[in-house]
Amino acid sequence: MGRVRLIVIGGDAAGMSAASQARRRLGSGDLKITAFERGEYTSYSACGIPYWVGGLVDGPGDLIARDPATFRESGIEVHTGHEVTGIDLAARTVTVNGRTESFDHLVYAAGATPIRPPWAGTPAGGVFGVQTLGDGAALQQWLDGGRDSAVVIGAGYIGVEMAEALQRRGLRVTLVERSGQPMSTIDPDMGALVADSVRKLGIELRTGVTVQGLETSGGRVSAVVTDDGVLPADVVVLGLGVRPNTALADAAGLPLGVTGALATDLGQRVTGPDGIVEGVWAAGDCTQVTHLVSGRPAHVPLGTHANKQGRVAGINIGGGYATFPGVIGTAITKICDLEVARTGLSSKEAEAAGFRFVTATVESTNRAGYFPGAVPMTVKLIAEKDTGLLLGAQIVGRTEAAKRIDAFAVAVWNRMTVTEMTALDLGYAPPYAPVWDPVLIAARKAGDAL
Amino acid sequence: MGRVRLIVIGGDAAGMSAASQARRRLGSGDLKITAFERGEYTSYSACGIPYWVGGLVDGPGDLIARDPATFRESGIEVHTGHEVTGIDLAARTVTVNGRTESFDHLVYAAGATPIRPPWAGTPAGGVFGVQTLGDGAALQQWLDGGRDSAVVIGAGYIGVEMAEALQRRGLRVTLVERSGQPMSTIDPDMGALVADSVRKLGIELRTGVTVQGLETSGGRVSAVVTDDGVLPADVVVLGLGVRPNTALADAAGLPLGVTGALATDLGQRVTGPDGIVEGVWAAGDCTQVTHLVSGRPAHVPLGTHANKQGRVAGINIGGGYATFPGVIGTAITKICDLEVARTGLSSKEAEAAGFRFVTATVESTNRAGYFPGAVPMTVKLIAEKDTGLLLGAQIVGRTEAAKRIDAFAVAVWNRMTVTEMTALDLGYAPPYAPVWDPVLIAARKAGDAL
């Protein structure tokens, strides 16, 4: 038996984690690994782009975890600027830059592509997504040309982060959001706290506003047309979310899940109505995951999941055993001095999933009230009626707030009730928490609400 | 039926939490509550004393959560300067300041007393425990007299915190510890990181040194005599730990647990070989708890437990239902810019409990490596051989480190394996964590070690 050939489509976190883990288990004599990346960079932190644009970190080099040369040293061939344009499952080949390459195992890790509404369809200078390091580099170059006003469309995590980054760069920034609040993944009352903070930064936040089109002049964007007026802009950032980049997989006849992303088994093997597609794996933003609280399939494109899924695929390809059971919807972000976090289900999501629930919101502090640096923190919990199961948690605070979501995340993961949570032995010392940590106070209040 | 009479012995966290919770459920017409506190203050944060001494917080007022007047307003009578000197279980009375008071329910919350070795037996000016707010006030007054050199005996949490506080006040500080490391509740390799940091602060740390006595001059301490020389000192702080203050309970015939503290059921009812002692409750530093990982009885005097136990007792006295299942040994502290945390069992404790285990130590960072403010963090895990159950975790870092222990604490509480932990959906964003949070990296490494 000759060497097994592994081809990886997509050279970012998911694909390269898979490659690295497979390589850790199988030497070059047993496994040949080739990764194709259509862009210029490998294994980078797209999550770092807002901080690069905002001037807090240097880029793109600092955002790259490992470059092709480093992968090559560990026996992983990476070809950037190589776009896979076809997959022949019967022949076990892919077409890339016009030639054909055969595989025994295929890891599909093509990521996601920014949602570009029809009105953004005509390419115009000055309009950017924030999905790849290439997007970031292009935006940086555009900004270096000297710009005055920016419109960010979509006030989700990336939109808010980009609005702050552009404001930090000295631009006048308008943040436009169709729904009634920024960060629609948290409840409206918590979103209102974020809205206040964004406005205090000097960003013009316009909620309930629908974008209708772009105005251009000489091939460059000049304004954003909305149902609430025309907003002049010499740079437009699209923060409208992403969709799984599965066109190639679909064309090859790979089955897609209900979310339009690739469904996999626990080991990241692509699965469809007819079971596992032998030797084909998927990981990262192009895949569908199970939301462990709602029990539903979901598309949650986040670097942290991509890394885990890639690792799991690679371990299994290498003959080991690992699983990725799913997600619980944890997410955190920083907006200037505001920290925002969530896990589990929001009220809207809990309702959509069919839960009946109570909510409890508490105001507390990050440290003992008397300790220097103590600042307020708001925590909201969602607990199932009758059972008291913790369904979700949201935090908005100023410092040492967001990562408290992890305690809730582990509690949600383990299906704890809020009543049991009141007994949790969490870390207490005045510089870190009041004697009743906000996590515990929230659990108490939720218990009372039941 | 007349009013039920509740007497509380001890006016700090445990006792007053019990009183408050009972009062929330039963009005003054149904329940009369009287609390006796032998000291001057009620419901205070003894944990805040080092920061008061160090000048970071104002005291004693800032450290008092609720004073007697506030309690009185909510229908709870509190008498400070009242020491209960006898309990007659048959007559259902206590003796306090020479008079007799009868009760239907008794909450014993007398706390703990600092361990004073025989050589510290003769009272001398300048020798202080750090257990009550009164201790703190006395120490402050002594320091205001102008002191140059301090010796802190015992390098546990309170000892290290006090050493830093005194150093901050401008004293020359020597910290003496009998064992080979400061913070013997963490493993020696982690303790070495603390030792380095304490020394860098300019504190003279002497480990492996046994104190033999005190030298006095004119009724004041002048030096500490050790097996490694005589250390001049015009203030001595005892950080040798505490023992449960159960002499009064013992004299009354209340059964004590194997740790010398009062054993209770899950609802904080005092229990002995003959079962529950009807109408007698205990909470706080005078009680014994179950360590949920070792399964053993333990004495873990911490404000966070005292508050929870008091609340549980009060809810049950008031006719509600609540339980305190036990502790898992979580503790955190701050030493200047160093953060130290632990949960579960240390290697020594795991061994003593009969576990076979592996350990894994990882170096990571608090934030994405490229993000401003990223600093190193060391995480050590202890996992049971074969099963992979997380038995304990320890963290030493510089910032945003210690409270990560909570994720481990919730995992230990829920009996997670380190392998399952690698899949946890924890918060990720570059300002808060690398894409693999240190918690997850440690879990991976522990999984590999199995």
Side-chain angles (χ1 to χ4, degrees):
Chain A
M1 197 186 100
R3 288 205 294 178
V4 171
R5 293 151 306 174
L6 167 62
I7 283 183
V8 176
I9 301 176
D12 199 2
M16 299 318 293
S17 290
S20 301
Q21 289 294 331
R23 174 56 77 231
R24 275 183 66 183
R25 279 159 184 80
L26 295 175
S28 291
D30 295 317
L31 181 71
K32 180 185 178 195
I33 308 179
T34 313
F36 298 112
E37 164 57 41
R38 68 177 172 181
E40 193 181 340
Y41 308 102
T42 55
S43 287
Y44 53 84
S45 169
C47 323
I49 293 172
Y51 311 106
W52 176 24
V53 171
L56 281 176
V57 309
D58 292 331
D62 278 8
L63 300 182
I64 297 170
R66 293 176 87 187
D67 63 15
T70 313
F71 282 113
R72 219 159 280 138
E73 278 166 29
S74 62
I76 296 167
E77 255 181 65
V78 188
H79 302 284
T80 56
H82 279 61
E83 181 162 12
V84 174
T85 50
I87 303 170
D88 187 332
L89 288 176
R92 312 300 274 177
T93 59
V94 300
T95 307
V96 54
N97 284 21
R99 60 175 202 270
T100 297
E101 299 270 352
S102 60
F103 64 80
D104 299 296
H105 287 284
L106 179 70
V107 171
Y108 191 99
T113 46
I115 291 171
R116 291 180 79 93
W119 49 255
T122 319
V127 182
F128 301 90
V130 199
Q131 181 63 9
T132 67
L133 217 46
D135 293 338
L139 172 57
Q140 286 285 27
Q141 201 179 359
W142 184 263
L143 292 173
D144 287 343
R147 313 294 160 186
D148 296 321
S149 59
V151 173
V152 177
I153 304 173
Y157 292 89
I158 194 76
V160 173
E161 285 166 10
M162 285 305 300
E164 185 196 344
L166 292 164
Q167 219 249 0
R168 195 182 276 273
R169 285 278 289 245
L171 282 83
R172 276 195 320 281
V173 180
T174 307
L175 178 58
V176 178
E177 166 64 35
R178 196 166 49 180
S179 77
Q181 64 172 95
M183 305 228 170
S184 50
T185 53
I186 58 176
D187 284 6
D189 51 340
M190 300 295 273
L193 303 175
V194 177
D196 284 351
S197 184
V198 165
R199 290 195 170 110
K200 269 183 198 144
L201 272 180
I203 292 165
E204 190 183 342
L205 172 64
R206 297 216 186 176
T207 55
V209 170
T210 301
V211 174
Q212 297 169 322
L214 302 179
E215 284 181 3
T216 59
S217 157
R220 295 170 161 211
V221 71
S222 60
V224 175
V225 183
T226 77
D227 60 0
D228 191 38
V230 175
L231 310 169
D234 42 24
V235 52
V236 170
V237 170
L238 302 177
L240 294 164
V242 296
R243 64 175 103 244
N245 183 17
T246 47
L248 176 65
D250 193 29
L254 283 171
L256 299 185
V258 294
T259 62
L262 285 157
T264 69
D265 73 355
L266 290 170
Q268 298 304 130
R269 294 166 193 89
V270 171
T271 56
D274 305 324
I276 289 169
V277 182
E278 211 52 55
V280 182
W281 311 72
D285 292 359
C286 59
T287 66
Q288 176 171 300
V289 294
T290 302
H291 195 299
L292 296 171
V293 184
S294 69
R296 293 181 172 191
H299 180 235
V300 184
L302 278 179
T304 181
H305 304 326
N307 271 279
K308 285 185 193 128
Q309 293 175 317
R311 174 176 174 267
V312 165
I315 290 174
N316 290 321
I317 290 167
Y321 172 67
T323 63
F324 181 83
V327 308
I328 56 171
T330 310
I332 60 178
T333 190
K334 189 173 176 64
I335 307 146
C336 205
D337 68 337
L338 201 74
E339 302 193 349
V340 184
R342 53 152 284 157
T343 191
L345 302 175
S346 67
S347 292
K348 203 166 107 184
E349 291 166 340
E351 208 167 297
F355 284 108
R356 291 188 66 188
F357 57 90
V358 300
T359 67
T361 304
V362 300
E363 303 288 334
S364 181
T365 52
N366 55 335
R367 307 175 180 182
Y370 57 78
F371 202 86
V375 288
M377 178 184 322
T378 306
V379 180
K380 180 172 187 175
L381 296 193
I382 297 164
E384 190 181 20
K385 242 179 135 68
D386 302 337
T387 68
L389 278 177
L390 179 67
L391 299 178
Q394 299 167 41
I395 302 175
V396 175
R398 303 245 149 229
T399 181
E400 298 147 15
K403 275 298 254 179
R404 272 182 161 87
I405 206 70
D406 286 353
F408 289 118
V410 184
V412 167
W413 188 276
N414 288 286
R415 296 180 55 80
M416 291 188 82
T417 67
V418 290
T419 304
E420 186 181 4
M421 285 191 72
T422 62
L424 278 172
D425 186 1
L426 303 182
Y428 163 63
Y432 303 114
V435 70
W436 284 96
D437 192 277
V439 169
L440 300 173
I441 299 175
R444 281 174 57 172
K445 180 125 187 228
D448 290 345
L450 281 164
Chain B
M1 195 184 98
R3 287 203 297 177
V4 172
R5 294 150 303 172
L6 167 62
I7 283 184
V8 177
I9 301 176
D12 198 2
M16 298 319 291
S17 290
S20 300
Q21 289 294 330
R23 175 54 76 232
R24 274 183 66 182
R25 278 160 186 78
L26 295 175
S28 292
D30 296 316
L31 181 72
K32 180 185 180 194
I33 308 178
T34 312
F36 298 111
E37 163 58 39
R38 67 176 173 181
E40 192 180 341
Y41 308 103
T42 55
S43 287
Y44 54 84
S45 170
C47 323
I49 293 172
Y51 311 105
W52 176 24
V53 172
L56 281 175
V57 309
D58 292 333
D62 278 9
L63 300 182
I64 296 170
R66 294 177 88 186
D67 63 16
T70 313
F71 282 112
R72 220 160 279 138
E73 278 165 29
S74 60
I76 297 167
E77 254 183 67
V78 188
H79 302 283
T80 54
H82 278 60
E83 182 163 10
V84 175
T85 49
I87 303 171
D88 186 332
L89 288 175
R92 311 298 276 178
T93 58
V94 300
T95 307
V96 55
N97 286 19
R99 62 176 201 270
T100 296
E101 298 271 352
S102 61
F103 64 82
D104 299 294
H105 287 283
L106 180 70
V107 172
Y108 191 98
T113 47
I115 291 172
R116 292 180 78 95
W119 49 255
T122 318
V127 182
F128 301 91
V130 200
Q131 181 63 10
T132 68
L133 216 45
D135 293 337
L139 173 56
Q140 286 284 28
Q141 202 179 358
W142 185 262
L143 291 173
D144 287 343
R147 311 295 159 186
D148 294 322
S149 58
V151 172
V152 177
I153 304 174
Y157 292 87
I158 195 76
V160 172
E161 286 165 9
M162 285 306 301
E164 185 196 344
L166 292 164
Q167 217 251 359
R168 195 181 275 273
R169 285 278 290 244
L171 282 83
R172 274 194 322 280
V173 180
T174 306
L175 178 58
V176 177
E177 166 64 34
R178 194 166 49 178
S179 78
Q181 64 171 94
M183 303 228 171
S184 51
T185 54
I186 58 176
D187 284 6
D189 51 341
M190 301 295 274
L193 302 175
V194 177
D196 284 351
S197 185
V198 166
R199 291 195 169 110
K200 270 185 198 142
L201 273 180
I203 292 166
E204 191 183 341
L205 172 65
R206 297 213 186 179
T207 54
V209 171
T210 302
V211 172
Q212 297 169 322
L214 302 180
E215 283 179 3
T216 58
S217 158
R220 296 172 162 212
V221 70
S222 60
V224 176
V225 182
T226 76
D227 60 0
D228 191 37
V230 175
L231 309 170
D234 41 23
V235 52
V236 171
V237 171
L238 301 177
L240 293 164
V242 296
R243 64 175 102 245
N245 183 17
T246 48
L248 176 65
D250 193 28
L254 284 171
L256 300 185
V258 293
T259 62
L262 285 157
T264 70
D265 73 354
L266 290 170
Q268 299 304 131
R269 294 165 193 89
V270 171
T271 56
D274 305 325
I276 290 170
V277 182
E278 211 54 54
V280 182
W281 311 72
D285 293 359
C286 59
T287 67
Q288 176 170 300
V289 294
T290 302
H291 195 299
L292 297 172
V293 184
S294 70
R296 292 180 174 191
H299 179 235
V300 185
L302 278 178
T304 180
H305 304 325
N307 271 280
K308 286 185 192 126
Q309 292 174 319
R311 173 176 175 266
V312 165
I315 289 174
N316 290 321
I317 291 167
Y321 171 67
T323 63
F324 181 82
V327 309
I328 55 171
T330 309
I332 60 179
T333 190
K334 188 172 177 66
I335 309 146
C336 205
D337 68 338
L338 201 73
E339 303 193 348
V340 184
R342 55 152 284 157
T343 190
L345 302 175
S346 67
S347 291
K348 202 166 108 185
E349 291 166 341
E351 209 168 295
F355 284 110
R356 291 189 63 190
F357 57 90
V358 299
T359 67
T361 304
V362 300
E363 302 287 335
S364 181
T365 52
N366 55 336
R367 307 176 179 181
Y370 58 78
F371 201 87
V375 288
M377 178 186 318
T378 306
V379 181
K380 181 172 187 175
L381 296 193
I382 297 164
E384 190 182 20
K385 243 176 134 66
D386 303 339
T387 69
L389 278 177
L390 179 67
L391 298 178
Q394 299 168 40
I395 301 175
V396 175
R398 302 246 150 226
T399 180
E400 296 147 17
K403 274 297 253 179
R404 271 182 164 86
I405 206 69
D406 286 353
F408 288 118
V410 185
V412 167
W413 188 276
N414 287 285
R415 296 180 53 81
M416 290 188 83
T417 67
V418 290
T419 303
E420 185 181 6
M421 285 191 73
T422 62
L424 278 173
D425 187 1
L426 303 181
Y428 162 63
Y432 303 114
V435 69
W436 284 96
D437 192 277
V439 169
L440 300 174
I441 299 175
R444 281 174 57 173
K445 181 129 186 226
D448 290 346
L450 282 163

